[in-house]
C-alpha cells in the first residue's frame, strides 16, 4: 500500500512543480529583463589603428558587472582608416551612433578610448540632440599630443617630434587624424593657426560655433578622465586629464590651462558642478587600459548605470 502511494505523491509533486515553474519562470525572466533594462546602453569608440575586436574585454567587464546592458562597439574607421581626418570620423560615427541614442529614452553612456576620445568630443559638441549621460575618456589626448612614440614613428618614420610640425601644420598634414591634435609647445602659433580640430574644440582658436558647442557638450552629466604616468603613448600623459606642456616642456595641469579658466568649452563648469571626475592609475601601459579589470572596477563600473 505504501509503495503504491509513493508514485502518486511523486506525480502530484511533479505536476505541482511544473505548474509553479510555468507561473514563476516568466516572472523571473521579467525580473532579469527589468534589471538589464535599468542600465543605460553603452557606446564604445576605439582608438588609433584599433578595431572593435580590441575592446571585447571591456565589453565582457560590463556584461559581468551590469548584466543585460546593451553594448555597441562601433566598428568604423578601423586600422589605417583611423588616420582619416577627425571631422570625417565624427560624421561617420555620428551617423551610426545617433539612431542608438534615439532608441534610448533614458540616455546612453560613452566610453571612448585614445583617439576615440577626441572623436567623441566632436560628436558631443556638434550634436545638439545627444543624450549622453556619462562620457568616459579612456587615456585620450584631450589637450593634445607631443611625443616620440611608436605610433608617431609608424605614421612619420623619418621625423622626430621636434620636426613633425613641418608636416602637421599644413593643409596636407591636417588630412591625417594624428595631425588634428598634434600640439607642438614650441610652435603654438602655428598650431592655433593650422589646427582645424582640437584647437577649435578646446577654444584655443576662435570659432563661430563655440557657444553652441559648449552648450551641447555641457549636456553630459559626468565627465570621467582616466590616465596614468606609465601610459607610454599619450604625451604628456597628463593630456588625458587636460594637462599639457608649456614652451619649456613643463607640464601645466588642467586647472592652470587657459581653456579651463576661460571655460571655453565647459570644463570649469563641469568642475563647479562636481561632475568632473579624475581617475589616475599607475602601472598601466596605453594598449592595456581597456583590458585592465582593476581600472574598470575603479574608474568606470559605478558610472555605467
Amino acid at each position: 500500500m505504501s509503495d503504491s502511494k509513493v508514485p502518486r505523491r511523486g506525480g502530484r509533486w511533479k505536476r505541482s512543480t511544473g505548474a509553479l515553474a510555468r507561473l514563476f519562470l516568466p516572472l523571473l525572466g521579467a525580473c532579469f529583463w527589468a534589471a538589464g533594462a535599468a542600465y543605460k546602453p553603452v557606446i564604445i569608440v576605439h582608438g588609433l589603428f584599433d578595431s572593435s575586436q580590441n575592446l571585447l574585454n571591456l565589453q565582457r567587464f560590463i556584461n559581468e558587472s551590469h548584466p543585460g546592458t546593451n553594448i555597441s562597439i562601433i566598428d568604423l574607421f578601423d586600422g589605417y582608416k583611423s588616420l582619416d581626418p577627425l571631422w570625417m570620423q565624427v560624421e561617420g560615427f555620428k551617423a551610426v551612433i545617433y539612431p542608438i541614442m534615439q532608441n534610448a529614452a533614458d540616455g546612453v553612456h560613452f566610453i571612448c578610448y585614445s583617439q576615440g576620445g577626441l572623436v567623441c568630443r566632436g560628436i558631443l559638441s556638434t550634436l545638439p540632440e545627444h543624450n549622453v549621460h556619462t562620457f568616459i575618456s579612456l587615456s585620450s589626448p584631450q589637450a593634445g599630443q607631443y611625443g616620440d612614440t611608436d605610433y608617431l614613428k609608424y605614421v612619420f618614420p623619418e621625423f622626430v617630434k621636434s620636426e613633425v610640425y613641418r608636416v602637421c601644420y599644413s593643409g596636407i598634414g591636417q588630412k591625417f587624424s594624428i595631425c588634428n591634435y598634434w600640439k607642438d609647445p614650441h610652435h603654438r602659433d602655428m598650431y592655433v593657426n593650422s589646427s582645424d580640430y582640437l584647437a577649435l574644440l578646446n577654444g584655443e582658436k576662435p570659432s563661430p560655433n563655440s557657444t553652441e558647442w559648449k552648450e551641447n557638450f555641457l549636456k553630459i552629466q559626468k565627465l570621467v578622465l582616466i590616465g596614468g604616468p606609465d601610459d607610454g603613448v599619450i604625451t604628456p600623459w597628463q593630456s588625458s586629464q587636460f594637462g599639457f606642456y608649456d614652451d619649456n616642456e613643463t607640464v601645466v595641469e588642467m586647472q592652470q590651462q587657459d581653456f579651463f579658466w576661460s571655460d571655453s568649452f565647459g570644463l570649469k563648469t563641469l568642475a563647479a558642478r562636481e561632475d568632473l571626475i579624475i581617475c589616475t592609475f599607475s602601472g598601466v601601459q596605453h594598449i592595456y587600459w581597456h583590458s585592465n579589470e582593476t581600472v574598470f572596477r575603479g574608474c568606470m563600473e559605478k558610472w555605467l548605470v
Side-chain angles (χ1 to χ4, degrees):
M1 181 68 68
S2 60
D3 290 342
S4 64
K5 291 180 180 178
V6 172
R8 286 199 295 271
R9 286 200 298 268
R12 286 197 298 272
W13 183 83
K14 289 178 182 177
R15 287 193 294 273
S16 299
T17 53
L20 289 171
R22 286 193 296 273
L23 176 63
F24 286 109
L25 281 178
L27 294 174
L28 187 61
C31 290
F32 279 118
W33 177 87
Y39 299 120
K40 295 177 179 63
V42 176
I43 297 170
I44 303 175
V45 176
H46 67 75
L48 185 66
F49 298 131
D50 283 336
S51 72
S52 59
Q53 295 300 309
N54 297 102
L55 297 162
L56 294 180
N57 279 327
L58 182 54
Q59 181 181 41
R60 177 170 60 82
F61 297 154
I62 298 170
N63 281 328
E64 289 173 354
S65 62
H66 300 319
T69 300
N70 182 358
I71 304 168
S72 300
I73 308 178
I74 311 302
D75 194 18
L76 287 176
F77 297 98
D78 296 354
Y80 287 110
K81 291 295 291 179
S82 65
L83 287 171
D84 283 353
L86 288 184
W87 283 123
M88 180 186 296
Q89 295 194 44
V90 166
E91 293 306 313
F93 277 102
K94 192 189 297 184
V96 174
I97 288 171
Y98 187 50
I100 301 173
M101 294 179 176
Q102 289 179 305
N103 289 324
D106 295 327
V108 301
H109 299 304
F110 267 3
I111 303 178
C112 307
Y113 167 62
S114 195
Q115 180 179 277
L118 295 176
V119 173
C120 290
R121 283 273 311 281
I123 294 171
L124 292 169
S125 298
T126 61
L127 185 59
E129 304 88 0
H130 84 73
N131 59 355
V132 174
H133 189 277
T134 298
F135 169 31
I136 297 176
S137 173
L138 182 58
S139 188
S140 176
Q142 296 292 353
Q145 172 73 9
Y146 183 70
D148 286 317
T149 67
D150 290 341
Y151 286 77
L152 178 65
K153 294 173 185 176
Y154 193 74
V155 179
F156 301 120
E158 298 179 3
F159 290 90
V160 294
K161 68 179 184 180
S162 62
E163 299 174 333
V164 172
Y165 78 94
R166 301 178 189 276
V167 176
C168 279
Y169 300 156
S170 68
I172 293 176
Q174 288 297 301
K175 295 184 184 296
F176 292 88
S177 64
I178 191 173
C179 288
N180 294 156
Y181 51 93
W182 185 259
K183 188 175 178 179
D184 190 325
H186 308 290
H187 298 279
R188 178 175 169 77
D189 289 344
M190 291 184 69
Y191 157 73
V192 171
N193 291 330
S194 302
S195 173
D196 61 9
Y197 191 81
L198 186 63
L200 292 171
L201 284 183
N202 282 352
E204 297 164 304
K205 181 176 184 175
S207 167
N209 302 311
S210 59
T211 299
E212 179 186 355
W213 288 359
K214 179 179 178 178
E215 291 175 356
N216 294 339
F217 185 68
L218 284 173
K219 290 179 181 178
I220 62 173
Q221 301 300 305
K222 297 289 180 185
L223 172 60
V224 183
L225 302 173
I226 303 173
D230 301 305
D231 183 277
V233 172
I234 305 304
T235 313
W237 72 265
Q238 291 91 341
S239 180
S240 60
Q241 298 168 350
F242 285 102
F244 204 73
Y245 293 131
D246 62 13
D247 56 8
N248 293 316
E249 295 190 35
T250 300
V251 172
V252 178
E253 299 292 346
M254 173 184 67
Q255 292 85 352
Q256 279 72 52
Q257 293 288 338
D258 289 342
F259 54 67
F260 181 87
W261 282 107
S262 66
D263 204 27
S264 58
F265 61 93
L267 202 56
K268 188 177 180 181
T269 297
L270 286 170
R273 282 172 19 189
E274 299 185 347
D275 290 327
L276 177 59
I277 294 92
I278 305 295
C279 196
T280 303
F281 263 88
S282 300
V284 183
Q285 296 177 11
H286 188 70
I287 60 173
Y288 298 117
W289 284 107
H290 46 70
S291 58
N292 188 304
E293 189 168 1
T294 302
V295 172
F296 174 78
R297 301 294 177 192
C299 298
M300 292 183 260
E301 181 178 21
K302 67 179 178 179
W303 307 114
L304 302 178
V305 294

